[in-house]
Structures are given as structure tokens and as C-alpha cells.
Amino acid sequence: MEEKIMNQWMKELGPNSDVVVSSRVRLARNFNDLSFTHHASDEELKQVTIKAKELLRENNEFQLELIGIDELSEFERKMLVEKHLISPEQTQVNKYKSVALSQDETVSLMINEEDHLRLQMILPGLQIEKAWGLADQLDDYIEDKIDVAFAEGYGYLTACPTNVGTGLRVSVMVHLPALSMINRVEKLMSAISQLGLAVRGLYGEGTDTVGNLYQISNQVTLGHSEEEIIENLLEVTQQIIEQEKNARELLLQEQEVSVKNKVYRAHGILTHAYSISIEEAMELISNVRLGIDLGIIEGIEPIILNQLMVMIRPATLQLTKGEKLSIEEREIYRAELIKELLN
Amino acid sequence: MEEKIMNQWMKELGPNSDVVVSSRVRLARNFNDLSFTHHASDEELKQVTIKAKELLRENNEFQLELIGIDELSEFERKMLVEKHLISPEQTQVNKYKSVALSQDETVSLMINEEDHLRLQMILPGLQIEKAWGLADQLDDYIEDKIDVAFAEGYGYLTACPTNVGTGLRVSVMVHLPALSMINRVEKLMSAISQLGLAVRGLYGEGTDTVGNLYQISNQVTLGHSEEEIIENLLEVTQQIIEQEKNARELLLQEQEVSVKNKVYRAHGILTHAYSISIEEAMELISNVRLGIDLGIIEGIEPIILNQLMVMIRPATLQLTKGEKLSIEEREIYRAELIKELLN
């Protein structure tokens, strides 16, 4: 695998990118005649792999390249997690685990993760519907070719009951620096939870919130159609966008000096620090991004911050540098890389 | 009075300027036939003024220009304090108080402060002996012309008993960022106190230590000759210089990353902040100055930091801006001025 770092959502901004970093759609699918991954025999896991390979070989539309997890170095596996292309679970080396990626990494397909097949579409900005369209298209192709586990009255069957039904998880990653500054995030998030949506940190369940980034996704996969699930997330996201934008206007009106101070200082530290932790960098990147969106800082492309978010993470950082680094060395190289990208 | 801001110790670095910012010598003298200022009648205060004026008019060597305190605006008076040319006490408007300054402000002479005459020499870097030579020369001239209060067995008589004897106060302002970083300042300062020297903050007794700047001066004015007092302070200062330099080497060897990080970040914040308090600015200026002295930062003249130390203070700042500013406006203009001077 060549060490390509940039992919589509790191190269291009999508609609509403001043609040929404990316949109993801994930579908869980299983072969009807094989046991779920966790209970499958080696022979069954092998069968999944063989059938998936065939499926992909015959598909010209998405042109997915299949990579065995055991072909990747530790850093390459972890970089795929940092880019949100595979789950941490999928990094465990196992000769039956693999991932298929499209050239621009918009499409990824994990094989023998919790479910036999997990399709994911990730697009920059607010593009849930487009991502769903692509996922649906790939799913149609798959279901046309194979017999998928499905039960009348339930829907798609999945390894974990929380995915049964549509097998659909839709999520948006939103950047909420202004709501955070005026201490409104917590209240908003608790309201969102009551609408059947889950709020998580940058790297999913149980991960901390850093850089004022939140992942909002549907909790329920059963009892609603795919369209309803998507419509619901879309509506809530539009409300979040509106609230964040109102908060930004309010900040500029009522706390102009302190916002400017925060933004400019963040820029000063990012362009000068000799060493920096990931948590501090994410916080400062968030402030600079807010500064760009508010027109306080000019001359920096907002996309650079989508890139930085991934590039400063440990595995991607060490792949970029081309060597294994100690924590101290990483903090120094991270600072160097940020300076280089911002100047 | 023209609003001249820069003077000699803000324009030129002296010997050992990597640790010693400036050296000062002050002599307290009183007319023999007039009561001390605090007990003097208006007629006596007037006499002091008249006699001092005559003295100065006839002196071609130092060419001091006499300025009545009541001729100055509030900011001009306070700026003289910020430049260490007059005491805070001397800013109280009184038609008999005045100050005489040489063109480069190396020499200042307060009239009707606590004592009738207070001569001061201030030079950049470690130049106690030279400053003493100049003070002695001006003193000789004065004593040649007037009858100074003096008592056999005591020496010069002064308003406050702590100045009786030589009437001499010698001080150095030292910059000790490295000793401060390795938490050795307190111990050093307590040792210094035991040698009969006083340690004070930037603006004298009772003022806080800011920017790792300390004033070291003689406590005792009686029972030692001027030369002994000066020799003692000089020796102690040389030891302080050595200790600070050792601490800097130690820091570079053992905490290189954290020192570089501190220095570069300080520079980043100073060149980017939108608003900054004096305390924070002094702390960051201290770090940048350390970075220059250690060769970590290049391309900034160290003298700029002597200038900044004065220029960011409230009165000098408002005189530079040419208008009265609120605290918030001052913090914004201070940040602006620092950026301008550092870029």
C-alpha cells in the first residue's frame, strides 16, 4: 500500500463546511449462509474473504482496491483509523480481515469486522443524502450478487442487535467552537440525545471531545426507514448549524476582543511552538478555524485544518516523517509540521 | 517638555547586558541652612528651588534641563517614573518640586523630593563604577558651590535615617529567567539579603516582581565608604551573573525542548496577540529575551526588550498613542505596539 495521506474529505470542502466537517453513512451487511464473524470458523471467514474479493473484482463502478490488514504496517493500519476509514477493531491483525478502498477514499468496505461487510461513504461537508445515495448504490450491487442475511419483520440481520433493521449508521462531524465558548454545547447535546441521536467524540464511542468536534449519529436502526433516519439527522444538523452560526454572530458582537485575542493567539502559538501535544493542537486549530470562518484570519485555506486534524495524529505523523518517534519527538515533529502547513 | 520616550539605557546595551539591564547610583543631599523638605516652609522650599536653579545654570558639564513637576501632564509625570527617572512621590503636583534631566537622561536630579537634592545616574548594563564616577563628579560640583548638611561622625544628613552617612543608594536591575525556571531565585535572594543588600521588584519597594526582573541595592549607607558599598554590590552582581549563566547552560543541556518551546511560544504570542496585560507581556518579553541571549531566537535586537519594558507601561503607552485609553483599549494598543516593534 502506498502511503497516500490526503483523501477527498481532506482535499475538498463540502457544503456547510464552516460547521460540518464531514458526513458518513455506514451499512452493515452479512452473508446469509455464513456465521457472524465472531462465531465463524476459519473456513467461513475465508469464504467471506473469497466472496468479497469476487464481488469487488466484478465491480467497475466504485473500483475498490482490496488490502489485507496483515499486509499493512502498524502505522498504516492506525492511519486508516485516524482517517476514519476503518474501526480500531479492524486493526487487529488477522489474515481474514481486509479493507477495500476507492481511489479517493470516499468509499471503504471493511471485510470481517463485526459484520461480514461494512460499507462506508465519507464525504466532506453536509452531504448525508449524497453519501446515502452512494451507499445505497453499492448496496444494491452487493445484494444483487449475494444472498444477504435478512428477516421479514426485522430487516437486515447484524452481529450486534443495535444494528438490526436498516444496518444503517449515519453521522456528521460538526465543529462547534462558538457554542462551546458560550457554554451551550452541553445543553444542546442533551437535547439531541432526546431525539434518538447519539453524540460522541472525534473517534467514536468513549473517545474524548477534542477541538470542539462532535459526531452526531442515529441511535436507532430499527422501526424507521433509511430515508426517515437520514431526514431526521439532516434536520437536526441544520438546526445545529443555525445555532452555531447564531452563537458566532453573538460572540463577534458581544465578545469581539476576547474572540480575536483567542484566535490570533492560537495562530501565533501554532506557527511558533517548538513542541505541541495533540490535545492542545486540536484546541488551537479549532480556534484558528473559527477565526477563518469569522473572517478574523485571512490567507489560510480552511481545508488545511481538515488536513491537520488527521496529519497531526500519531500514526499519520510517523508515516509522514517516515520513522518511529518517541512521544517527545512526536510533539516536536507535530509542531514542525503544523508550522510548515500554516506558513 | 517634549514627549521624548527613548533615552540612553533604552537605546544602548551596556556590559553584561545579557543579565544586567541597568545600573543606578543615587545620592541624597540637603542644604545645610534649610529644613528638610517635609518640615520646610514654603519659603524654604522656594529657596531650595532658587538655589538649585542657580547651580544648574552654572554647570556646563552635565547640561541639565530643569522641569517643574507642575509643568507636566499626569502621563508625562508617570512616564518619568516608568523610566526610573523620578520617584512616585515626586509625581505629586507641587510648585516647588522639579526634576533636572540631561539630554540622554543618564543624569537626573530631583529637587524637593524627600531630600532637597537627589542625584541619579542610570546607565545600561553593569556600569556601577562608571555611574558612581559620574555621580561623584556632579556631587563635587554641587558641594563646591553650596553648603551641604553634613555631621562629623555621621556623614551626610538626610531626611530619612536609612540614608544617613553616604546618602548613597547603588542598584542593579538584573534579569534572571533561568534561575527563575529552575526555582533558584528565592534561595539566591535570601542569601543576598544576608549580605546587607535589598532585593526589590521592578519599581522599587513593595512592587511585584515581573518579567523575572529584580533590583538589588545596598541596604546600609552608614559605616562603609562609598567605594566599599559599590565594591560589595559589584561582587555580588558578578556572582549573580555567573549563577544565572550557569543556570542558562544547565537549562539548555537538560531542558532544551521545554526552554525552546517556552521561548518560541512567547515570541508567537507577542507577535500575534490582539490584547495583552502588562504582567503577561513582561513574562513573555522575559522569555524572548532569554531566547535571544541563548541564541535560540535570531533577528531581534536585544535592546528592543529594554525599550518594550518601558513602552508598554500605562503612561508611556498612552503618551505614545497620544490619547487617554481605557484598560481594554490599553491592552489592545499594547499588543499592537509590541507587534510593531517585534516585526
Side-chain angles (χ1 to χ4, degrees):
Chain A
M1 181 198 167
E2 63 180 57
E3 282 158 19
K4 189 184 66 174
I5 290 169
M6 299 297 187
N7 58 29
Q8 210 214 346
W9 74 269
M10 292 165 71
K11 278 198 283 202
E12 271 174 34
L13 292 175
N16 295 96
S17 63
D18 50 353
V19 179
V20 185
V21 177
S22 60
S23 302
R24 276 197 287 167
V25 165
R26 188 264 286 151
L27 287 172
R29 297 291 184 257
N30 290 277
F31 290 95
N32 196 26
D33 54 349
L34 297 168
S35 312
F36 288 136
T37 308
H38 291 304
H39 301 101
S41 64
D42 275 9
E43 184 47 37
E44 285 178 305
L45 294 174
K46 195 175 162 188
Q47 279 303 310
V48 170
T49 307
I50 291 168
K51 288 180 177 192
K53 255 187 196 160
E54 258 167 51
L55 262 178
L56 297 178
R57 199 173 39 232
E58 291 168 13
N59 182 288
N60 290 319
E61 213 168 357
F62 287 96
Q63 302 208 3
L64 303 185
E65 188 198 354
L66 192 79
I67 309 152
I69 292 299
D70 57 0
E71 297 166 33
L72 299 174
S73 72
E74 187 196 344
F75 288 151
E76 287 170 333
R77 294 194 302 275
K78 288 186 175 163
M79 179 173 77
L80 292 178
V81 177
E82 292 173 353
K83 291 160 86 176
H84 299 278
L85 297 174
I86 66 173
S87 61
E89 195 185 328
Q90 192 72 346
T91 63
Q92 290 156 23
V93 179
N94 174 320
K95 61 180 170 174
Y96 303 115
K97 281 183 187 294
S98 51
V99 61
L101 297 171
S102 64
Q103 185 59 30
D104 65 0
E105 297 181 352
T106 293
V107 189
S108 72
L109 179 67
M110 284 188 285
I111 293 153
N112 281 327
E113 207 248 17
E114 189 180 285
D115 294 297
H116 294 152
L117 303 176
R118 284 207 164 182
L119 296 62
Q120 179 190 267
M121 304 288 156
I122 181 166
L123 290 174
L126 182 59
Q127 302 197 70
I128 311 177
E129 284 164 310
K130 188 175 173 194
W132 162 243
L134 287 168
D136 195 27
Q137 195 182 334
L138 180 55
D139 183 43
D140 282 351
Y141 167 80
I142 291 171
E143 295 196 41
D144 210 42
K145 298 272 177 184
I146 67 168
D147 189 13
V148 154
F150 187 92
E152 211 59 55
Y154 286 101
Y156 295 99
L157 300 179
T158 55
C160 179
T162 58
N163 293 313
V164 167
T166 54
L168 175 69
R169 186 82 64 214
V170 199
S171 70
V172 285
M173 193 198 293
V174 287
H175 182 225
L176 308 178
L179 285 169
S180 161
M181 278 185 208
I182 62 170
N183 297 315
R184 287 263 299 280
V185 169
E186 220 165 297
K187 207 178 150 194
L188 177 67
M189 293 307 158
S190 107
I192 287 173
S193 300
Q194 285 167 17
L195 295 169
L197 297 173
V199 180
R200 299 193 172 93
L202 187 51
Y203 283 90
E205 213 163 336
T207 61
D208 278 348
T209 302
V210 283
N212 304 309
L213 290 164
Y214 299 84
Q215 281 193 70
I216 321 286
S217 61
N218 63 310
Q219 285 272 33
V220 179
T221 55
L222 190 69
H224 295 279
S225 71
E226 286 85 348
E227 286 71 20
E228 282 167 350
I229 292 171
I230 283 161
E231 191 50 40
N232 184 31
L233 184 67
L234 198 57
E235 269 175 29
V236 171
T237 305
Q238 267 149 354
Q239 280 174 36
I240 294 175
I241 294 173
E242 202 189 313
Q243 290 205 29
E244 170 65 18
K245 287 192 170 178
N246 288 343
R248 290 181 188 181
E249 248 175 70
L250 195 78
L251 270 184
L252 259 196
Q253 277 165 24
E254 295 182 3
Q255 300 179 40
E256 193 194 344
V257 171
S258 92
V259 171
K260 283 187 172 174
N261 211 12
K262 211 165 184 166
V263 163
Y264 287 129
R265 282 165 177 254
H267 186 222
I269 296 172
L270 287 174
T271 52
H272 286 76
Y274 183 69
S275 158
I276 197 163
S277 73
I278 199 155
E279 292 75 18
E280 188 189 1
M282 289 298 290
E283 193 59 38
L284 298 176
I285 287 170
S286 166
N287 292 341
V288 168
R289 179 65 204 259
L290 175 65
I292 294 173
D293 291 335
L294 288 176
I296 295 174
I297 288 192
E298 286 172 359
I300 303 179
E301 289 298 326
I303 192 71
I304 204 123
L305 300 169
N306 292 24
Q307 292 164 10
L308 273 179
M309 272 170 44
V310 172
M311 295 193 68
I312 63 171
R313 303 207 75 85
T316 309
L317 194 74
Q318 292 175 85
L319 274 178
T320 306
K321 177 75 176 172
E323 57 186 281
K324 196 169 158 58
L325 302 172
S326 69
I327 291 183
E328 188 179 80
E329 289 167 338
R330 285 211 292 267
E331 297 203 330
I332 294 172
Y333 184 61
R334 180 176 296 122
E336 224 172 89
L337 197 72
I338 293 172
K339 271 181 277 196
E340 203 178 289
L341 282 165
L342 286 181
N343 284 328
Chain B
M1 180 198 166
E2 65 180 54
E3 283 159 19
K4 189 183 64 172
I5 290 169
M6 301 294 187
N7 58 30
Q8 208 214 347
W9 75 270
M10 292 165 70
K11 276 198 285 201
E12 270 175 36
L13 292 175
N16 295 96
S17 64
D18 49 354
V19 179
V20 185
V21 176
S22 60
S23 301
R24 277 197 288 167
V25 165
R26 187 264 286 150
L27 287 172
R29 297 291 183 257
N30 289 278
F31 291 94
N32 195 26
D33 54 348
L34 297 168
S35 313
F36 289 136
T37 309
H38 292 305
H39 302 101
S41 64
D42 275 9
E43 184 47 37
E44 285 178 304
L45 294 174
K46 194 175 163 188
Q47 279 303 311
V48 170
T49 308
I50 291 169
K51 288 180 177 191
K53 255 187 197 162
E54 258 167 50
L55 263 177
L56 297 178
R57 200 175 37 233
E58 290 167 14
N59 182 288
N60 290 319
E61 214 167 356
F62 288 97
Q63 302 207 5
L64 304 184
E65 188 198 352
L66 192 79
I67 310 151
I69 293 298
D70 59 359
E71 296 166 36
L72 300 173
S73 72
E74 187 195 343
F75 289 151
E76 287 170 333
R77 293 193 303 273
K78 288 186 175 163
M79 179 174 77
L80 292 178
V81 177
E82 292 173 353
K83 291 160 89 178
H84 299 278
L85 297 174
I86 67 172
S87 60
E89 195 186 328
Q90 193 70 347
T91 62
Q92 290 155 21
V93 179
N94 173 320
K95 61 180 169 176
Y96 302 115
K97 282 184 186 291
S98 52
V99 59
L101 298 170
S102 64
Q103 184 60 30
D104 65 1
E105 295 182 353
T106 292
V107 189
S108 72
L109 179 67
M110 284 188 285
I111 292 153
N112 280 327
E113 207 248 16
E114 189 180 285
D115 295 296
H116 294 152
L117 304 176
R118 286 207 163 182
L119 296 60
Q120 178 189 268
M121 303 289 156
I122 181 166
L123 290 174
L126 183 58
Q127 301 196 70
I128 311 178
E129 285 164 309
K130 188 175 174 193
W132 162 243
L134 286 168
D136 195 28
Q137 194 181 334
L138 180 55
D139 183 42
D140 282 350
Y141 167 80
I142 291 171
E143 294 197 42
D144 210 41
K145 298 272 176 184
I146 68 167
D147 189 14
V148 155
F150 187 92
E152 213 58 56
Y154 286 102
Y156 295 99
L157 299 179
T158 55
C160 179
T162 59
N163 292 315
V164 166
T166 54
L168 175 68
R169 186 82 64 213
V170 199
S171 70
V172 286
M173 192 197 294
V174 289
H175 181 225
L176 308 178
L179 285 169
S180 161
M181 277 185 207
I182 61 171
N183 296 316
R184 287 260 300 279
V185 168
E186 222 165 295
K187 208 177 149 195
L188 176 69
M189 293 305 157
S190 107
I192 287 172
S193 299
Q194 285 167 15
L195 295 169
L197 297 173
V199 180
R200 297 194 172 93
L202 186 51
Y203 283 91
E205 212 164 335
T207 61
D208 279 347
T209 302
V210 283
N212 304 308
L213 291 163
Y214 300 84
Q215 281 194 71
I216 321 286
S217 62
N218 62 310
Q219 284 272 33
V220 179
T221 55
L222 190 68
H224 296 278
S225 71
E226 287 85 349
E227 286 71 18
E228 283 168 350
I229 291 171
I230 283 161
E231 190 50 40
N232 183 31
L233 184 67
L234 199 57
E235 269 175 28
V236 171
T237 306
Q238 267 148 354
Q239 281 174 34
I240 295 174
I241 294 173
E242 203 189 312
Q243 290 204 29
E244 170 65 18
K245 286 191 170 176
N246 289 342
R248 289 181 189 181
E249 250 176 66
L250 194 81
L251 270 184
L252 259 195
Q253 277 165 23
E254 295 182 3
Q255 300 180 39
E256 193 193 344
V257 171
S258 92
V259 171
K260 283 187 173 174
N261 211 12
K262 212 165 183 166
V263 163
Y264 286 129
R265 282 163 178 255
H267 186 221
I269 296 172
L270 286 174
T271 51
H272 287 75
Y274 183 69
S275 158
I276 196 163
S277 72
I278 198 153
E279 293 75 18
E280 188 189 1
M282 288 298 290
E283 192 59 37
L284 298 176
I285 287 170
S286 167
N287 292 339
V288 168
R289 179 64 204 259
L290 175 66
I292 294 173
D293 291 336
L294 289 175
I296 294 173
I297 289 192
E298 285 170 359
I300 303 180
E301 290 297 326
I303 192 70
I304 205 125
L305 300 169
N306 293 24
Q307 291 165 10
L308 274 179
M309 273 169 43
V310 172
M311 296 193 66
I312 64 171
R313 302 209 74 86
T316 310
L317 194 74
Q318 292 174 87
L319 274 178
T320 305
K321 178 74 177 173
E323 57 186 281
K324 196 170 160 57
L325 303 171
S326 69
I327 291 183
E328 187 179 81
E329 289 167 337
R330 285 212 293 266
E331 298 203 329
I332 294 173
Y333 183 60
R334 179 177 296 122
E336 224 172 89
L337 197 71
I338 293 172
K339 271 180 277 196
E340 203 178 289
L341 282 165
L342 287 180
N343 284 328

